Amino acid sequence: MTTRHTADPTPHATAPDLDADAIEAAAERIGNVVVATPLQLSERLSANTGAQVYLKREDLQSVRSYKIRGAYNVMSLLTEAERQAGVVAASAGNHAQGVAYAARTMQIHSRIYVPTNTPKQKRDRIRWHGGDFVELIAVGDTYDAAAAAAQADVLETGATWIHAFDDTRTAAGQGTIAKEIVEQLGVTPDLVVIPVGGGGALAGMVTYLRAHSPEVRIVGVEPTGAVSMSAALVEGGPVTLTDIDPFVDGAAVKRIGALGHRVMADAGATVAQHPDLPPSGTVHRGHEQLPAGATHITHVDEGAICSAMLELYQNEGIIAEPAGALAATVLEDLPIEPGWNVVCLLSGGNNDVSRYGEIIERSLVHRGLKHYFLVDFPQEPGALRRFLDEVLGPDDDVTLFEYVKRNNRETGAALVGVELGAPEGLGPLLARMDASRLKCERLEPGSPAYRYLT
């Protein structure tokens, strides 16, 4: 993953300062619209960690994510002239729903730009929330491309851009989550885990927690394929990632907001090791310890996120989108001490049911249960039967078999997907393949052939 420095494209020189007072004011402003979501004890995650783990259920907002907090706060501060001129937003889907909801509630016309890969479920919800007051425009394949189109619209029409994260008013609205957590828990939490996309919620929550509970530990979590906050802290300022994995669409941002970076840098944030980022002696270290008052950024693999999503669904009955499960995913990797009060922000529940096939696939690969091979079969009767009898183990299953017979060749290659009964079965499977007279080539995750396949 390479990075390049660019100027901050979204300055907000006229926006008010972000501080605890601004967050308190935002809480008053949005109180009649935003749901005070439950702080729910997770018995499973508590048992897994030895701590008291609570989920802040922002998936239960009217738009199924916390994004309504920031969007409504900004739009409630618009002047009458700004309302008449309309608003423009760019979003991976959740912020768009917040803007759409506010637009219809306040009767402000809006144009919302989303990436073309935004799940259909999110697009349908945006239209439903906005009704006649929203025009939805799909452009580009990342949030950043949609944001560029939104900026061009603002320059041409004079509409007000409602930024998804890099605006102190947006961050103040998101910061109200921290205020609710402290009030609902009744004591200062030992650790708060926050998902990171553009950094707006992180900036607001860190600002409030550091003002009211300076000893709390704060961990921000990014998807491994989009570590824009980590890159900014390592490089000393926001940079644009040249390549990201768009799977965690709610957090797949190429460039972190300047506001989020500034807040984290001022908080002395440390950064977990990432193979694609250069090390830095001042901020780069692992998360082997979390002293009181620590502020830390780490990342989790997309496959691990998928496993966490499935666990939340199967055990708690919670439908979380990939970005929504980020905070819960990292828990077992953190040095959590028994008895701690730990709060994870479950940030969104806008998941398209059509994505579950890919979610299950990524989870199986991450857990070491799913593997793919190119197998050169002799073109003779019984070849497949010998593969099933001699190569596969008793708990292994063929989940994919694609074969095209070549009449002018003695052998033909088949693409074979195998699901193991346990991760430890891979070594014996490879040994049986080596011992057979079949030529078997494993497709390694991350290779060009594997990426084409999946």
Side-chain angles (χ1 to χ4, degrees):
M1 181 189 302
T2 57
T3 63
R4 58 184 173 88
H5 285 272
T6 57
D8 177 18
T10 58
H12 297 282
T14 60
D17 290 338
L18 177 63
D19 55 27
D21 288 341
I23 294 168
E24 295 279 0
E28 291 290 330
R29 200 173 291 120
I30 67 178
N32 292 331
V33 175
V34 170
V35 176
T37 54
L39 193 62
Q40 176 182 312
L41 179 69
S42 170
E43 295 184 2
R44 174 178 62 89
L45 293 174
S46 297
N48 289 348
T49 62
Q52 298 294 306
V53 178
Y54 298 87
L55 300 175
K56 180 58 172 167
R57 296 289 307 277
E58 285 297 290
D59 59 305
L60 297 179
Q61 288 290 351
S62 57
V63 299
R64 299 181 190 166
S65 87
Y66 68 82
K67 290 290 189 175
I68 189 174
R69 295 175 182 265
Y72 201 91
N73 187 51
V74 177
M75 292 175 66
S76 65
L77 290 168
L78 297 181
T79 66
E80 185 58 33
E82 288 172 327
R83 294 187 181 207
Q84 291 299 320
V87 300
V88 169
S91 169
N94 286 342
H95 174 64
Q97 293 186 54
V99 172
Y101 183 97
R104 187 171 69 172
T105 302
M106 301 180 189
Q107 298 191 331
I108 301 172
H109 287 281
S110 63
R111 289 181 299 282
I112 299 175
Y113 292 79
V114 297
T116 55
N117 58 7
T118 299
K120 181 178 183 297
Q121 185 269 354
K122 288 187 177 181
R123 296 194 204 191
D124 290 344
R125 295 286 295 176
I126 293 165
R127 294 188 180 98
W128 187 87
H129 284 300
D132 294 336
F133 289 92
V134 65
E135 177 185 354
L136 187 62
I137 304 163
V139 58
D141 59 359
T142 65
Y143 163 79
D144 304 83
Q151 286 179 292
D153 185 322
V154 169
L155 291 174
E156 180 179 350
T157 65
T160 297
W161 190 12
I162 310 300
H163 204 288
F165 48 84
D166 204 15
D167 186 319
T168 57
R169 298 166 297 181
T170 304
Q174 323 295 33
T176 60
I177 302 169
K179 173 179 164 61
E180 283 183 17
I181 289 172
V182 172
E183 292 173 347
Q184 291 172 322
L185 193 60
V187 296
T188 299
D190 296 286
L191 171 64
V192 177
V193 188
I194 304 168
V196 183
L202 187 69
M205 293 180 70
V206 168
T207 296
Y208 188 86
L209 290 170
R210 284 288 167 258
H212 289 272
S213 308
E215 69 277 21
V216 66
R217 300 158 182 87
I218 301 171
V219 173
V221 188
E222 299 181 292
T224 296
V227 288
S228 57
M229 176 63 84
S230 297
L233 290 169
V234 168
E235 298 285 354
V239 294
T240 301
L241 305 181
T242 56
D243 184 39
I244 62 173
D245 185 338
F247 175 74
V248 187
D249 51 289
V253 176
K254 284 188 174 182
R255 182 187 177 89
I256 200 70
L259 173 63
H261 168 260
R262 187 182 77 240
V263 170
M264 293 302 285
D266 290 347
T270 57
V271 184
Q273 178 65 51
H274 187 284
D276 294 331
L277 295 177
S280 167
T282 56
V283 292
H284 213 278
R285 68 166 180 83
H287 43 63
E288 63 278 358
Q289 58 181 343
L290 288 173
T295 307
H296 186 58
I297 294 291
T298 189
H299 55 87
V300 287
D301 180 79
E302 281 75 5
I305 296 168
C306 291
S307 296
M309 292 172 65
L310 295 173
E311 290 284 352
L312 286 167
Y313 177 71
Q314 292 169 343
N315 292 283
E316 284 81 21
I318 295 174
I319 298 175
E321 63 185 281
L326 267 173
T329 304
V330 78
L331 282 182
E332 293 186 40
D333 294 330
L334 296 176
I336 295 172
E337 296 184 9
W340 276 6
N341 286 309
V342 178
V343 178
C344 288
L345 173 57
L346 206 159
S347 58
N350 287 298
N351 195 48
D352 194 325
V353 68
S354 67
R355 304 182 75 190
Y356 271 103
E358 182 182 5
I359 290 165
I360 294 170
E361 173 80 8
R362 285 188 180 238
S363 174
L364 289 171
V365 171
H366 170 75
R367 293 160 56 202
L369 297 176
K370 190 71 172 285
H371 303 273
Y372 292 94
F373 305 88
L374 288 176
V375 181
D376 223 14
F377 283 94
Q379 293 199 20
E380 60 187 36
L384 177 58
R385 171 53 58 191
R386 286 198 301 275
F387 176 81
L388 297 176
D389 292 341
E390 300 173 9
V391 176
L392 285 192
D395 297 322
D396 302 338
D397 186 27
V398 174
T399 59
L400 176 69
F401 190 89
E402 295 182 1
Y403 173 66
V404 178
K405 185 174 182 180
R406 308 287 187 183
N407 290 327
N408 62 337
R409 295 181 56 190
E410 293 182 357
T411 61
L415 174 61
V416 182
V418 178
E419 183 175 334
L420 305 178
E424 297 76 18
L426 178 60
L429 174 65
L430 295 176
R432 292 191 296 270
M433 286 182 169
D434 289 341
S436 75
R437 63 191 183 99
L438 301 173
K439 180 182 178 182
C440 304
E441 177 187 354
R442 183 186 174 197
L443 299 184
E444 295 285 351
S447 67
Y450 192 94
R451 288 196 296 270
Y452 175 78
L453 171 67
T454 57

